[in-house]
């Protein structure tokens, strides 16, 4: 497991901190009991290093770029605070478009993240609605999926322009409603050809929207996305042992 964390914001100096011998609990990170109980039902008791640093920052509303190797727990690092935020304001919401978009590069990952969100919501007995969009969906399938609208949309980026051009999502509604945008496996999104789709979306992402970029590696593509989407983010890098 990695033994040091590097955190940087804007031009602030790089800071390295030795990770405490004793890692924090999910409660100490600010997570609600219902989510902690859901995690325990899944056999998860303590946060991984990337979760330990990312969860409090995301709960505070910061934009975050998180880089940590595959298998380090990045999905819960963003899903747990995302759900907590949406649970806490679900009654006051009167939206025309989803409050959160989670965009991923592949259909398989889309299914995986969708199942993970659904399972957490069910274990919490939460009221949030989540849908996944796939590239094979017709305009009428998309219309049905987005009726309501759902609170959380999990999709590959290509579906968003398709929804916009079919009139199933309105740019103005995205601008009014979107609170959290997650790009998961961000290091792969551009090489999978989603740059234009992401640009078509980011034109409508409001300035107040919290943006989270998760990746396994740092690359020129991640830098490009960071510039396209984030505003003065916290950069969390979890070096591998020996880095
Ligand atoms: P990444 O996105 O960084 O590649 P994942 O989020 O897919 O990693 O997590 C990898 C595995 O670790 C998953 O099976 C997940 O359920 C598990 N996991 C996530 N967080 C924890 C935790 N805090 N403790 C134990 N296992 C965890
Ligand atoms: Mg992942």
């Amino acid at each position: 497991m990695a033994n040091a964390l590097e955190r940087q914001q804007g031009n602030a100096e790089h800071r390295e901190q030795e990770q405490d011998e004793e890692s924090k609990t999910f409660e100490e990170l600010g997570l609600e009991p219902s989510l902690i109980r859901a995690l325990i039902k899944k056999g998860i008791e303590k946060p991984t290093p990337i979760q330990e640093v990312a969860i409090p920052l995301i709960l505070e509303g910061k934009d975050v770029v998180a880089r940590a190797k595959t298998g380090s727990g990045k999905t819960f690092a963003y899903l747990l605070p995302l759900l907590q935020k949406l649970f806490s304001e679900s009654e006051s919401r009167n939206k025309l478009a989803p409050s959160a978009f989670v965009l991923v590069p592949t259909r398989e990952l889309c299914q995986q993240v969708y199942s993970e969100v659904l399972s957490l919501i069910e274990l919490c007995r939460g009221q949030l609605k989540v849908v996944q969009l796939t590239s094979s969906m017709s305009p009428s399938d998309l219309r049905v999926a987005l009726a309501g609208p759902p609170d959380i949309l999990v999709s590959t980026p290509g579906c968003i322009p398709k929804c916009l051009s079919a009139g199933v999502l309105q740019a103005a509604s995205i601008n009014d409603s979107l609170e959290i945008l997650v790009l998961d496996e961000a290091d792969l999104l551009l090489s999978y050809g989603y740059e234009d789709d992401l640009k078509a979306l980011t034109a409508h992402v409001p300035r107040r929207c919290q943006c989270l970029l998760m990746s396994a590696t740092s690359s020129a593509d991640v830098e490009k996305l960071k510039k396209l989407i984030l505003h003065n983010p916290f950069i969390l890098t979890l070096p591998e042992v020996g880095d």
Side-chain angles (χ1 to χ4, degrees), residues 26 44 46-48 51 68-76 116:
F26 282 115
I44 291 180
K46 63 184 182 71
T48 63
Q51 292 164 359
K69 68 179 177 182
T70 302
S72 56
K74 294 189 292 297
T75 318
F76 286 155
E116 209 61 87

Side-chain angles (χ1 to χ4, degrees), residues 38-54:
L39 288 172
I40 289 170
K41 285 181 198 154
K42 287 177 164 291
I44 291 180
E45 287 175 2
K46 63 184 182 71
T48 63
I50 194 68
Q51 292 164 359
E52 190 172 328
V53 283

Side-chain angles (χ1 to χ4, degrees), residues 68-75 78 109 112-113 184-185 214-216:
K69 68 179 177 182
T70 302
S72 56
K74 294 189 292 297
T75 318
Y78 69 80
L109 189 61
Q112 224 174 304
V113 171
D184 196 358
E185 303 220 359
M214 320 302 287
S215 82

Side-chain angles (χ1 to χ4, degrees), residues 204-215:
H204 310 301
V205 172
R207 180 69 174 82
R208 56 155 210 288
C209 177
Q210 183 178 17
C211 297
L212 310 173
L213 208 150
M214 320 302 287
S215 82

